[in-house]
Structures are given as structure tokens and as C-alpha cells.
Amino acid sequence: KLAGYMWVGVGLNVVSIVLVGAVAMVGGGESADTDKNPLVGVCLVLGGAFVQSLQYAFEERVMTSDIGAPPLLVIGMEGFWGLLLCTVALYPIVYNLPGADHGSIEDPYNTWAMFQNSPEVQRMFWMYFFSIFVYNSFAVLVTFLLDSVWHAILDNFRPITVWVVDLFIFYYINKDFGEEWLWPGSYIQVVGLVVLLYGAWVFGITAGNFINSQLLPQFVRPGFGQAQSTLAPFDHLNSSC
């Protein structure tokens, strides 16, 4: 059960998400594309976030309940079912719908031909595969060792990180890529970042209590001679909470 101030931390994270989403509504600056409806994009993102929250809750359920599924087994099964659904359901649907990719929304035959004939596409594919594997592995471990709420909070740092990298690319690498600092959108995003950091700090006030009472005992055997000295470094966190 979440304490009252933990709900405050969750609420601050929601506020930060709303602030960043408002950038799409007000426009980042003069270069904003007026031919697109940002409200549709925001609604789709919110719908995806809702489904993702169900995934986080399900992961915590299967790893902490009587099922006790190992974390790597969870992400392995998610990958298996994702591959199966994309292969037998999603790809046939987008292939038969009209679009700009050789008459389809997505042409898997053209995709395979590009993959076979482009070393750059192959390198990007393996880089993406490795980075997603590492990310999912650590993400599911956060859910396993902490909880799904922590997973959701830390996941909000992804778009902020991407935005900072985009700024770096635009100003220091190539102005054809990345993102320019614009008024008022960039300033709103900075405010959202500050609120996000503060919300994560508020929610994490219980870190000392959690480490002492739940996390470390999983790795220290009862009666182990060094258990007391192992927990001692975290006592100051416990008292400060």
C-alpha cells in the first residue's frame, strides 16, 4: 500500500507528463507542423501508456505472486508472444491495407530485401536488438526488486533523455537531425523535467526503509554472520525517513 506522500510523488510525475504533452498542443515554435493534429497523437500515446501500465502490473503480479516467474523468463515470454502476434496478425493486416510502401502500409518482402542488401540496416538492427534487450532486462529487474510503480516512474525519464540527446545532436553534431531549442516548448519541457525529478525524489523518500526491510534480506541468508554489518550502511537512510 502506497503512503500519502508516495501518491504525491506519483501525482507530480503525472503533472510532468502533462507538461511535456502540452508542448505538442501549443507547438514547439514557428517550425511546428500545422498539417497534423497533435491531439490525436497525444490520445494515442495516452492509450499506449495505459496498456503499458497494465503490462507493468501484470509483470509484478507473475513475479511476486505464487507463480514466482523469473524476470528473464517474463521478458522472454513477452518477446515470444510479441513476435508471434506481429507475424501472424499484425503483419498480414498492414500488408493488406493500402499505403505508400509498394501499395501497403508495410511490405514485409520489401523490408526483408532492404535488410539483406544494406549493411547499415543490418548494423542498426543488431544495435537496436541489443539495446532493447538490455533495457528490457534492467526494466523487468526494477519491477522485480522494487515494484511496477517504480518501473513506471523511471520509465518517464526516457523521453527526457531522448530530448537532451536530440538537443546535443542538433547543436554539436548535425543540424539536419536532432531538435532545436524553441520558445515556448523547450522551456515547458525543462519545467516538466524539474517536476519529474522532484516527483521521483518525493516517491523515493522510503528508499532507506525499503532497502533495509525488503531488498537486502533477499540476498542475505538468515543468521549470516555479516548480516548486521551489511545493513548498517543504510541505517542513516532509515533514520532520515
Side-chain angles (χ1 to χ4, degrees):
K1 183 179 179 180
L2 299 182
Y5 59 84
M6 299 177 76
W7 281 110
V8 173
V10 173
L12 289 171
N13 277 267
V14 173
V15 171
S16 70
I17 296 172
V18 172
L19 287 172
V20 175
V23 175
M25 302 300 299
V26 302
E30 296 179 355
S31 60
D33 192 345
T34 57
D35 296 331
K36 298 179 180 179
N37 186 356
L39 181 61
V40 175
V42 171
C43 291
L44 290 174
V45 171
L46 290 176
F50 174 74
V51 174
Q52 195 173 41
S53 67
L54 297 179
Q55 175 189 349
Y56 294 166
F58 176 77
E59 289 174 348
E60 181 179 2
R61 173 79 175 177
V62 298
M63 287 189 295
T64 58
S65 65
D66 294 337
I67 300 174
L72 292 181
L73 175 62
V74 173
I75 62 171
M77 293 305 298
E78 288 178 352
F80 169 78
W81 286 106
L83 176 63
L84 184 64
L85 289 174
C86 285
T87 303
V88 303
L90 184 59
Y91 249 134
I93 293 174
V94 297
Y95 179 63
N96 287 283
L97 291 176
D101 188 6
H102 294 78
S104 303
I105 293 180
E106 180 71 26
D107 185 353
Y109 301 104
N110 181 52
T111 301
W112 178 244
M114 292 175 60
F115 181 80
Q116 285 183 310
N117 296 291
S118 175
E120 291 185 0
V121 171
Q122 295 174 16
R123 286 194 295 268
M124 291 302 298
F125 169 81
W126 289 113
M127 288 175 58
Y128 177 80
F129 179 87
F130 177 76
S131 62
I132 291 297
F133 172 76
V134 172
Y135 167 78
N136 285 336
S137 298
F138 281 103
V140 77
L141 285 175
V142 169
T143 302
F144 177 68
L145 295 175
L146 299 175
D147 55 40
S148 57
V149 180
W150 262 117
H151 186 175
I153 289 177
L154 296 178
D155 201 51
N156 292 329
F157 285 89
R158 275 195 304 166
I160 296 295
T161 304
V162 171
W163 174 60
V164 172
V165 172
D166 280 345
L167 289 173
F168 178 82
I169 291 174
F170 182 85
Y171 285 103
Y172 294 99
I173 297 180
N174 191 333
K175 292 187 180 297
D176 293 331
F177 303 97
E179 181 177 336
E180 185 180 6
W181 183 275
L182 299 170
W183 169 266
S186 297
Y187 293 92
I188 297 177
Q189 287 176 296
V190 170
V191 175
L193 172 60
V194 173
V195 175
L196 176 63
L197 292 173
Y198 183 67
W201 177 80
V202 170
F203 185 86
I205 286 177
T206 57
N209 285 328
F210 179 83
I211 292 174
N212 275 345
S213 63
Q214 297 185 38
L215 184 57
L216 286 181
Q218 297 182 32
F219 301 97
V220 180
R221 297 190 305 273
F224 187 61
Q226 299 299 321
Q228 184 63 35
S229 60
T230 304
L231 298 176
F234 297 92
D235 288 340
H236 69 286
L237 293 176
N238 203 11
S239 60
S240 64
C241 298

